[in-house]
Amino acid sequence: MPPFKDEQIIVIAPGSETTVAQLGLPESFTPARLRVRSRMFPAEKPGEWEPYKIRRRNDKPEQPGDGAESRPDGDEAIYEEDRVSEEGAVWPMKEGRIVDWSCFFALITHVYNALNPPFHTPILLIAQPVWTPKEHEKLTQFFFEKFKTPAFGLMDAAMATSWAYGVHTSTIVDVGKDKVDVTAISEFIPHLQGRVMALAGCGGEALTEGLLAKLRSKSWSRDMCEQLKKSPICEILPPDTPLPGTTEASEEQPITNPAAAASTGASASGPAAASAIGNGPRGPGVDTDVGDDANADDEGVLDVASIVTGGKMEEYLAKKEKEKQEKANAKKKGGADTAAAANANKPIRLPNAKRERATFLYEDHRLLDNLKNMNLGSERLAEMQNQLDEGPQRQGEIVNGEPTSAVDANGASDTGNGSNQSGPIRRELEVGTERFMAASNGMLERIADAVHRTISSVDEVNKRSELWDSLIICGNGSRVRGFKEALLATIQAKYLISPSSATMFTSEIPSNISTPAGTGANTPQPQLGPHGGAPSHVNPLLYAATTAQTQHLMPHNPTSHLPGLSHNAHSSHSQTPTSIKLVKPPEYFPEWKDVGFDESAFLGAQVAAKVIFVVDQGQSKGYMTRPDYNDQGPTGIHDYAL
């Protein structure tokens, strides 16, 4: 009988932005059930931490002179948890490193208490590659002494990803919040030499900074760029892809109406063309932008929070209400006239990569914080939120007979109760081609160089070609649309060579080896030299560059007639790759297909926990037990960590 059961096992994967965890291993492995933001808030008592910001709640607007000092002694203030705000938060991990141990231990304790496990619970922790052996010992001591766990295991994040994909040899590119880790794994053994750990300036934060650099001149804040990055309209285009609206892109789009192109800038005429582009061309007529309206002040980037604090809230609300009414009247007036034309010429919906402008919903947390700090009272606060919210649905509304709900950072949902006080205020923002320039700061090129350095540092030369053919790009920083495809295209553009390029080496290749020609055919095998033997001096690099193309013609011992080469000097084309591929994700985890394999390290941790805690029953020594800890102390974890 195994020492532990599936429902007793805890898996925790801490990250710089999000920490995921789960109690119990389901029959079919699923994404993490518990998700928390990797931050804590200082409590009133020094050295203690709270998982959420604590605010003082006022059900009535605060009157002048109604401060805390004027309250009766028996009238105590009421405090509540604000699960949305991050004002004053402390993040214990940066670039994968633990920078605040007290806060990190408080975060792990909060996760453990949220899972509410039974007493006999083993724990498997996903370790970041940048963690040192001394930090492994510190974590081991904390888990055994704080939670009294019967068994504890540490698993490298790259190794967990390899287990998730079920491949023994692969190159793991883990894109996090502030960094990128590149690890070469051969036969389930990570190569520490040449491993790139915590490559700074190449994570999801760098993508946000790239957007901010392009949009700062338009008064965009960092939070706006962060939410734009997570929206579907933000996309990383492959190298040398022209942006929509540029000269290169317009050359690819045929002009079917020269008159419309000359007068309005559109390649075709009619409502279909205008709607397909995503924004009307300049000029008179239907579906065009006329006069100064096209360049109206960008309300999407107005600092509404400063308007609230400046006392101009009522004026702003009246302006927004007037604009909504004008749009509704215009739509009602022109609806009957344009219905027939719209049905006759249905617009062709262009993909995001070919649209010059697009919109997304921005959750203005700063505005919500300012409203809460004004102590408006619960009813007035809810009213202000309803007036400012521009989203299609609000929490608490009845849609299709069902109340809408909001999901918080913990993965728990709160059913609407008729008030959207806890929901964010959403505003509609419009953005142009800047949404394609998140990675224009050279981030993809630096990651490609790191991948090349890591694979080139592997001592087993014959494994390098397999490492190039087994790339795995994971991590929440790679969730941006088109990121993986663009990174693969960048790596291929920098380091991939075609097999026909090997013809430059044919002048120094032994004459008894058939060589590839530029047309794809092979040259015939000529006769041996005048002395009946092959040349004795052969460039080993040139020989290795062509053996991959002629393996079917080589004898069983290809170096027997080349005394200058040893049997393990080179095998196949390993110096520069002739093929670079991504590993296909596994298909036997249906729950992961819908959400993607960006958090594949957590999936691999579930697989490993099943094997080491249940299947092997401790024979593989994949975890440290309580008796082992009592005998060896924290330093014994080095003999058990995966």
Side-chain angles (χ1 to χ4, degrees):
M1 180 178 178
F4 305 106
K5 298 180 180 179
D6 292 349
E7 59 270 16
Q8 298 173 334
I9 300 172
I10 290 181
V11 179
I12 303 177
S16 300
E17 178 77 14
T18 306
T19 296
V20 295
Q22 182 167 300
L23 171 62
L25 302 178
E27 184 175 352
S28 178
F29 298 136
T30 61
R33 297 173 181 172
L34 178 66
R35 304 179 62 86
V36 300
R37 304 279 284 171
S38 299
R39 84 284 187 269
M40 300 293 287
F41 297 87
E44 290 187 3
K45 187 176 180 180
E48 295 185 358
W49 303 88
E50 298 286 350
Y52 306 107
K53 184 176 181 61
I54 305 299
R55 291 182 181 272
R56 184 167 61 185
R57 188 180 69 185
N58 289 329
D59 294 333
K60 297 181 180 180
E62 193 172 286
Q63 300 297 331
D66 188 23
E69 63 279 359
S70 63
R71 294 178 182 269
D73 294 338
D75 188 9
E76 297 182 357
I78 301 176
Y79 293 89
E80 64 178 355
E81 292 181 347
D82 188 343
R83 295 175 177 252
V84 178
S85 176
E86 293 183 357
E87 181 183 357
V90 176
W91 302 80
M93 293 182 62
K94 293 182 180 179
E95 297 183 0
R97 298 179 176 89
I98 302 176
V99 295
D100 192 326
W101 282 95
S102 174
C103 183
F104 180 79
F105 288 152
L107 173 65
I108 296 298
T109 304
H110 167 60
V111 172
Y112 185 86
N113 294 335
L115 294 173
N116 193 21
F119 180 73
H120 192 70
T121 306
I123 300 175
L124 179 63
L125 182 70
I126 302 300
Q128 294 293 325
V130 74
W131 291 354
T132 63
K134 192 69 176 178
E135 292 174 335
H136 289 179
E137 298 174 9
K138 195 171 184 178
L139 290 168
T140 302
Q141 182 178 3
F142 171 77
F143 275 91
F144 272 110
E145 297 185 4
K146 174 68 175 180
F147 304 126
K148 311 299 180 183
T149 177
F152 174 72
L154 277 172
M155 188 174 192
D156 189 274
M159 182 66 67
T161 302
S162 178
W163 280 53
Y165 279 77
V167 290
H168 55 79
T169 300
S170 60
T171 303
I172 313 297
V173 183
D174 190 349
V175 185
K177 177 185 178 183
D178 303 299
K179 49 82 180 178
V180 170
D181 299 317
V182 184
T183 308
I185 296 179
S186 175
E187 302 297 338
F188 291 112
I189 299 177
H191 286 261
L192 302 181
Q193 180 180 359
R195 185 180 191 181
V196 176
M197 296 183 295
L199 180 64
C202 293
E205 192 72 15
L207 297 176
T208 303
E209 293 296 332
L211 291 173
L212 185 59
K214 302 296 182 182
L215 294 169
R216 184 182 285 110
S217 59
K218 297 184 179 181
S219 303
W220 280 58
S221 65
R222 188 200 168 281
D223 187 46
M224 292 178 180
C225 295
E226 177 70 19
Q227 295 190 34
L228 171 62
K229 179 190 70 175
K230 297 178 181 179
S231 68
I233 66 172
C234 181
E235 186 174 357
I236 309 297
L237 301 180
D240 301 328
T241 301
L243 296 176
T246 59
T247 305
E248 295 82 356
S250 60
E251 290 177 355
E252 297 178 358
Q253 185 175 1
I255 298 177
T256 58
N257 192 330
S263 61
T264 65
S267 60
S269 59
S275 302
I277 294 175
N279 61 319
R282 297 283 297 163
V286 183
D287 293 319
T288 58
D289 296 329
V290 185
D292 296 333
D293 292 340
N295 295 324
D297 56 344
D298 297 330
E299 295 181 4
V301 297
L302 279 178
D303 191 357
V304 184
S306 62
I307 295 178
V308 172
T309 56
K312 299 181 180 179
M313 194 64 216
E314 298 298 334
E315 180 182 349
Y316 176 76
L317 290 177
K319 181 180 178 182
K320 296 294 294 182
E321 188 65 26
K322 181 180 178 181
E323 291 178 355
K324 290 180 181 179
Q325 189 65 29
E326 290 177 354
K327 290 181 180 179
N329 294 338
K331 185 176 181 181
K332 184 184 299 183
K333 181 178 179 181
D337 299 334
T338 59
N343 293 332
N345 300 317
K346 288 188 177 181
I348 302 175
R349 187 174 182 84
L350 290 178
N352 179 61
K354 295 185 178 181
R355 300 177 60 190
E356 290 188 43
R357 307 191 69 83
T359 60
F360 76 103
L361 286 178
Y362 162 63
E363 297 182 356
D364 199 336
H365 299 291
R366 183 188 173 198
L367 174 58
L368 184 60
D369 279 344
N370 284 2
L371 289 177
K372 291 180 178 180
N373 292 333
M374 292 173 66
N375 295 325
L376 299 173
S378 57
E379 294 183 0
R380 179 57 177 166
L381 178 61
E383 180 183 353
M384 296 284 284
Q385 286 187 256
N386 287 329
Q387 293 179 357
L388 291 172
D389 195 290
E390 299 177 0
Q393 297 177 3
R394 297 184 179 91
Q395 179 184 355
E397 290 182 345
I398 304 299
V399 180
N400 296 329
E402 295 291 337
T404 58
S405 62
V407 179
D408 60 13
N410 297 330
S413 60
D414 299 326
T415 304
N417 54 3
S419 172
N420 69 335
Q421 182 175 349
S422 62
I425 299 177
R426 296 167 294 179
R427 297 164 51 200
E428 190 173 288
L429 300 186
E430 186 180 33
V431 64
T433 55
E434 296 88 355
R435 67 188 191 275
F436 302 120
M437 303 179 185
S440 59
N441 52 5
M443 168 183 172
L444 299 180
E445 288 75 10
R446 293 197 295 272
I447 298 178
D449 294 341
V451 173
H452 181 263
R453 292 197 306 270
T454 300
I455 297 180
S456 300
S457 301
V458 175
D459 294 333
E460 301 173 277
V461 181
N462 59 334
K463 289 288 185 180
R464 295 181 186 175
S465 60
E466 190 174 355
L467 291 171
W468 282 112
D469 282 339
S470 304
L471 287 180
I472 298 177
I473 304 175
C474 61
N476 286 326
S478 64
R479 285 183 180 271
V480 180
R481 185 175 180 182
F483 179 88
K484 298 177 182 178
E485 293 77 7
L487 178 57
L488 178 62
T490 302
I491 297 175
Q492 291 175 340
K494 294 195 68 172
Y495 298 108
L496 183 66
I497 65 171
S498 62
S500 60
S501 300
T503 55
M504 68 180 69
F505 303 138
T506 55
S507 59
E508 299 187 38
I509 290 179
S511 57
N512 65 334
I513 301 178
S514 63
T515 57
T519 59
N522 288 335
T523 59
Q525 293 189 7
Q527 300 297 324
L528 295 176
H531 301 289
S536 58
H537 301 287
V538 181
N539 188 328
L541 297 179
L542 303 181
Y543 173 74
T546 55
T547 52
Q549 309 301 321
T550 59
Q551 289 182 354
H552 61 288
L553 298 176
M554 297 295 292
H556 294 291
N557 188 8
T559 59
S560 59
H561 57 280
L562 298 175
L565 293 177
S566 61
H567 71 281
N568 58 356
H570 292 281
S571 61
S572 78
H573 193 172
S574 57
Q575 297 300 315
T576 358
T578 57
S579 175
I580 301 177
K581 302 176 184 177
L582 294 177
V583 177
K584 186 179 179 181
E587 298 182 353
Y588 36 86
F589 298 110
E591 293 82 2
W592 285 85
K593 287 184 179 180
D594 299 332
V595 300
F597 289 84
D598 301 295
E599 294 181 348
S600 54
F602 190 83
L603 171 60
Q606 294 181 80
V607 177
K610 178 75 172 182
V611 172
I612 64 176
F613 286 120
V614 180
V615 178
D616 288 350
Q617 302 183 23
Q619 296 180 3
S620 60
K621 291 188 176 181
Y623 60 88
M624 190 177 192
T625 62
R626 166 64 67 173
D628 295 331
Y629 177 78
N630 294 336
D631 293 340
Q632 305 176 30
T635 57
I637 191 63
H638 305 308
D639 298 331
Y640 301 93
L642 296 175

